[in-house]
Amino acid sequence: SPARLGGRMLAAYIDKISPPLHMFGHVHMGNGILRKKKGDVTATVFSNAAMEDKENCNCFTMIVPPK
């Protein structure tokens, strides 16, 4: 499994508030998208937008229903 990078306090806060999208980027080898689920529902989409090259960029459409 890959090494976990980043702040534990930020990770705990993101887990607590469960935003629909968390975008970040710095670790180029870790670029990509991860969907964290709570039960059967996607709680947060994590997007590491760091790019090693233009062919591996994160492009997606996200529709968030109003609360």
Side-chain angles (χ1 to χ4, degrees):
S1 86
R4 185 184 165 285
L5 301 173
R8 294 189 188 282
M9 288 176 64
L10 177 59
Y13 184 70
I14 295 297
D15 190 51
K16 177 182 176 181
I17 66 170
S18 294
L21 177 63
H22 177 61
M23 297 184 76
F24 54 95
H26 185 79
V27 180
H28 292 258
M29 290 76 63
N31 70 327
I33 296 172
L34 171 73
R35 290 165 182 85
K36 183 175 180 184
K37 294 193 170 215
K38 287 191 177 179
D40 293 335
V41 178
T42 298
T44 302
V45 175
F46 293 83
S47 174
N48 179 351
M51 295 181 357
E52 288 189 69
D53 56 62
K54 293 180 182 178
E55 295 177 11
N56 291 320
C57 66
N58 296 346
C59 298
F60 57 94
T61 300
M62 184 172 180
I63 299 170
V64 179
K67 291 187 175 188

